[in-house]
Amino acid sequence: MLDWLWLVPAMPVAGFLILAVVGARLHRRAVATVGVGSIAIATVIAFVVGARLVSLPPADRVFTQMLWTWVRIGDFAPAIAFRLDALSLVMMLVVTGVSVLIHLYSSAFMEGDEGYARFFAYMNLFVGSMLVLVLADDLLFLYLGWEGVGLCSYLLIGFWYRDPLNANAGRKAFVVTRVGDTAMAIGLFLIATRLGTLDIQILMQRAADTWPVGSALPIVAAALLLGGAVGKSAQLPLQTWLPDAMAGPTPVSALIHAATMVTAGVYLIARTHVLFALAPPVQLAVAIIGAATLLLAGCSALTQPDIKRVLAYSTISQVGYMFLALGVGAWSAAVFHFMTHAFFKALLFLGAGVVIVEMHDEHDMFKMGGLRRDLPVVFWTFLIGSASLAAVPIVTAGFYSKDLILFDAWSSVSGGPWLWLAGLVGALLTSLYTFRMVFLTFFGDRQRQPAGRVGWRMNVPLITLALLAIVAGFVELPPTLGDTPYFTAFLLPVLPAVAGLPARMADLALLQFAAGVVSLGGIYAAWVLFLHRRTIAAVVRQRPALRQIHRFWFAGWGFDWLYDHVFVRPLVWFAAADKDDAIDRIFDGLAWTSRGAWYALHLSQTGRVRWYAAGLTVGALVITSIVIFL
């Protein structure tokens, strides 16, 4: 059964090819069958293959499937090969499982759209590219999936391209992530030339054997890979594309934020963790970037009125937690939070999509309210997802994954109190903006009558993800609550355990108590400010200093303004000033010459047969003369 592994990415790609070629001529039901069915088949195969791998002893849970050698240049021979181990299995199951639910939801959400077949073609290619990325056994093959994900994000974010704002958002995502991708490509060149291979397992072994810890080469290589990860995962300073990515359809937002693009950087760092362990300054930079990002994005989420932009900044913040965990060497904790985040963030985006549809395409939370009675399934599932995002203690998956990150940030030899404090403050911000969203949307007075268009294809994914947002955390219980670290133990053959300082049970309990108090305290503060005493928040915002801070956070801390003035406007000015330079004169001359030659030749086409005969005669005489006299 392990030999079926290649079918997992092949099925979404096959669905894409069918829809791209004949999708426009298919009935919508057939389009949905191909689009959803191909992902469903891939999901079934993924779980069958995964069950077979898990049935093996821990030491044997590695399977490599070599399909063919891509190119051979001397000893450099990158391969089209898949590797299934504990890490890629977790990624594969989450990607396929969440994707099939989003596709089922999309079959109803996008039903009236004229680009129905095109939408599913792009979505299938998106999932196929992500599966190639997480299963690739070679960094060059991984880069193919990496760029495929970037292409599909551009196509899907700008899916409704007739609106210039949507097209601009897609272009912005493409350009900003290209900055990181360029750094990553340079890093691959460096690794290939210095280590002679891009096979992930071989290069990590060679790097550990040949590069001393803290030497220049691993620092440069890890820093370049970090550049790629920062771009794809929307971390500082390349986070600006993600809030604008909300221009795409809501299922696209769910797929990008939950299971595909923004987690690619987390996977890349975890997969190449040996390189980062050899470069302590870069690994510390990963932690600092994650801590700074989770705080900045959390503050911006507090100021957004658009429900999808709140979730967008939330994703940036939660991926920041994953980077924080990677930076302190808590590799398994980062992957654990990736898994739980995929469930509750997909749930929240899909729930927000239902709310937007029911509110007649309204995104502003201040124009909603009172929906908990009209949309009970959406309300309860959204509440569960929000509780998991806010890390409500004991009962939610988000609590266990975030608590593990906070504990490792405190106790790891690479961590410390400041990183832990940043994570704790971020947890407070998360609870505050999450339940601000809940209270504004579902409580208070109803301002609009819902459309009443929610069907089973939307409700089933919501209910399934809500269940996962609760139970997924129980695979990793801390010592104070059962001590069953099944998830970490499962990943241990691939990802090393965190190098932590010994911690007493009392210290662990105290850290957990602090995290729980912060989570519940943020919820209570949101209840007071945005439901019980809304006038307090309004009065606070009227203070001049706080109003300026609100505007600053609302604008994403001014990064778009900064990049516009530092990069975009100077480049546009230079292009305008340089549009008539000497080099352009050369090409203008070639164009003028071509036009002149065409004009001269067209004069010979008079339509008069006697002129053609005379031309043939003259030409024959000239050729004969050349032959005789020369």
Side-chain angles (χ1 to χ4, degrees):
M1 290 184 181
L2 291 174
D3 292 333
W4 295 1
L5 179 62
W6 69 275
L7 290 172
V8 178
M11 293 308 301
V13 174
F16 158 73
L17 293 174
I18 293 172
L19 294 173
V21 175
V22 299
R25 295 188 290 274
L26 294 178
H27 189 273
R28 287 180 179 266
R29 184 172 297 177
V31 170
T33 300
V34 174
V36 181
S38 59
I39 305 298
I41 294 172
T43 303
V44 172
I45 296 173
F47 275 86
V48 170
V49 171
R52 175 59 183 145
L53 187 78
V54 173
S55 68
L56 300 174
D60 298 331
R61 289 175 184 165
V62 177
F63 173 71
T64 302
Q65 187 174 42
M66 173 72 176
L67 299 182
W68 64 83
T69 299
W70 193 347
V71 63
R72 185 179 295 279
I73 306 174
D75 295 332
F76 181 68
I80 302 295
F82 297 112
R83 178 183 176 85
L84 189 65
D85 55 21
L87 175 58
S88 56
L89 175 60
V90 171
M91 300 293 295
M92 178 181 70
L93 295 181
V94 172
V95 170
T96 54
V98 173
S99 295
V100 72
L101 295 173
I102 294 174
H103 274 69
L104 177 61
Y105 176 97
S106 301
S107 66
F109 186 90
M110 298 294 294
E111 197 164 29
D113 197 280
E114 62 178 355
Y116 198 62
R118 179 168 58 94
F119 175 82
F120 277 105
Y122 293 164
M123 291 282 279
N124 278 28
L125 182 60
F126 202 175
V127 176
S129 298
M130 187 66 188
L131 289 170
V132 167
L133 192 158
V134 302
L135 292 173
D137 191 38
D138 186 280
L139 281 179
L140 187 59
F141 193 28
L142 182 150
Y143 193 69
L144 176 65
W146 187 275
E147 289 300 316
V149 168
L151 170 64
C152 293
S153 68
Y154 164 73
L155 296 172
L156 286 166
I157 293 169
F159 181 77
W160 290 317
Y161 58 87
R162 289 189 177 91
D163 185 341
L165 293 177
N166 297 340
N168 290 338
R171 185 164 60 247
K172 181 178 180 180
F174 192 81
V175 171
V176 173
T177 56
R178 215 53 46 220
V179 176
D181 293 353
T182 302
M184 180 179 174
I186 297 172
L188 296 185
F189 286 129
L190 173 64
I191 293 170
T193 54
R194 295 296 180 174
L195 298 178
T197 183
L198 288 176
D199 183 290
I200 297 174
Q201 306 307 313
I202 296 175
L203 75 86
M204 288 200 296
Q205 184 62 49
R206 289 183 183 177
D209 293 340
T210 60
W211 286 347
V213 176
S215 58
L217 284 176
I219 289 176
V220 174
L224 290 169
L225 293 184
L226 175 59
V230 163
K232 273 291 188 289
S233 293
Q235 298 293 284
L236 286 170
L238 299 179
Q239 81 286 1
T240 57
W241 66 269
L242 193 58
D244 290 348
M246 298 303 96
T250 298
V252 173
S253 303
L255 193 60
I256 289 176
H257 290 245
T260 55
M261 187 168 173
V262 297
T263 57
V266 176
Y267 173 76
L268 176 66
I269 296 175
R271 176 56 79 188
T272 58
H273 64 274
V274 172
L275 289 177
F276 286 86
L278 293 172
V282 179
Q283 190 172 345
L284 176 61
V286 174
I288 294 173
I289 288 172
T293 303
L294 70 90
L295 291 174
L296 267 64
C299 292
S300 291
L302 270 175
T303 64
Q304 304 300 316
D306 187 325
I307 187 171
K308 286 180 65 177
R309 288 184 72 89
V310 173
L311 293 174
Y313 279 109
S314 170
T315 297
I316 298 173
S317 180
Q318 295 307 302
V319 176
Y321 275 102
M322 301 176 207
F323 269 63
L324 173 60
L326 295 169
V328 299
W331 316 104
S332 298
V335 179
F336 183 35
H337 195 56
F338 150 77
M339 182 183 72
T340 61
H341 176 263
F343 298 145
F344 63 70
K345 188 53 62 68
L347 169 60
L348 290 172
F349 266 110
L350 297 185
V354 175
V355 170
I356 291 169
V357 169
E358 292 294 312
M359 291 290 98
H360 311 281
D361 204 33
E362 179 59 66
H363 289 235
D364 192 337
M365 296 181 295
F366 290 92
K367 297 180 181 179
M368 300 177 186
L371 296 179
R372 68 186 187 279
R373 297 186 183 89
D374 299 304
L375 303 172
V377 174
V378 178
F379 166 66
W380 286 109
T381 55
F382 197 92
L383 182 63
I384 291 171
S386 299
S388 192
L389 172 58
V392 172
I394 310 299
V395 295
T396 64
F399 165 74
Y400 295 102
S401 60
K402 190 175 292 184
D403 179 72
L404 182 60
I405 292 175
L406 291 175
F407 173 71
D408 288 338
W410 174 274
S411 61
S412 169
V413 294
S414 301
W418 288 108
L419 292 175
W420 171 82
L421 183 61
L424 194 68
V425 174
L428 175 64
L429 293 172
T430 302
S431 296
L432 190 56
Y433 70 67
T434 300
F435 276 84
R436 167 183 179 262
M437 177 174 58
V438 172
F439 293 136
L440 291 177
T441 304
F442 293 98
F443 290 81
D445 298 328
R446 185 176 65 187
Q447 301 188 40
R448 292 192 179 190
Q449 181 65 35
R453 292 179 288 180
V454 183
W456 69 270
R457 286 179 292 174
M458 290 184 172
N459 283 332
V460 168
L462 294 178
I463 295 171
T464 304
L465 289 168
L467 292 174
L468 291 172
I470 295 175
V471 303
F474 298 136
V475 299
E476 183 77 19
L477 296 180
T480 55
L481 297 171
D483 195 16
T484 56
Y486 297 132
F487 191 83
T488 298
F490 179 69
L491 291 176
L492 196 57
V494 183
L495 298 176
V498 59
L501 302 173
R504 297 178 302 173
M505 189 71 71
D507 295 335
L508 178 57
L510 184 60
L511 293 174
Q512 287 177 341
F513 178 76
V517 169
V518 163
S519 173
L520 297 177
I523 296 173
Y524 175 75
W527 176 77
V528 171
L529 294 174
F530 303 106
L531 185 62
H532 183 58
R533 299 284 298 276
R534 288 192 179 186
T535 55
I536 296 177
V539 170
V540 169
R541 281 201 304 269
Q542 295 306 314
R543 296 180 180 272
L546 295 178
R547 186 164 62 247
Q548 293 301 321
I549 293 174
H550 184 278
R551 290 177 179 174
F552 186 57
W553 289 356
F554 175 79
W557 294 69
F559 277 90
D560 281 314
W561 180 91
L562 177 65
Y563 293 160
D564 183 58
H565 284 75
V566 173
F567 298 109
V568 178
R569 294 190 180 186
L571 184 61
V572 171
W573 176 87
F574 179 78
D578 195 50
K579 66 180 180 180
D580 294 324
D581 62 7
I583 294 177
D584 287 337
R585 298 295 184 186
I586 296 174
F587 294 104
D588 290 342
L590 290 174
W592 182 88
T593 302
S594 297
R595 288 195 299 267
W598 168 84
Y599 183 77
L601 289 173
H602 106 280
L603 292 176
S604 66
Q605 304 299 312
T606 63
R608 298 176 181 177
V609 176
R610 60 187 178 185
W611 284 101
Y612 295 161
L616 289 173
T617 303
V618 172
L621 290 173
V622 171
I623 293 173
T624 303
S625 299
I626 292 173
V627 172
I628 293 173
F629 297 106
L630 298 179

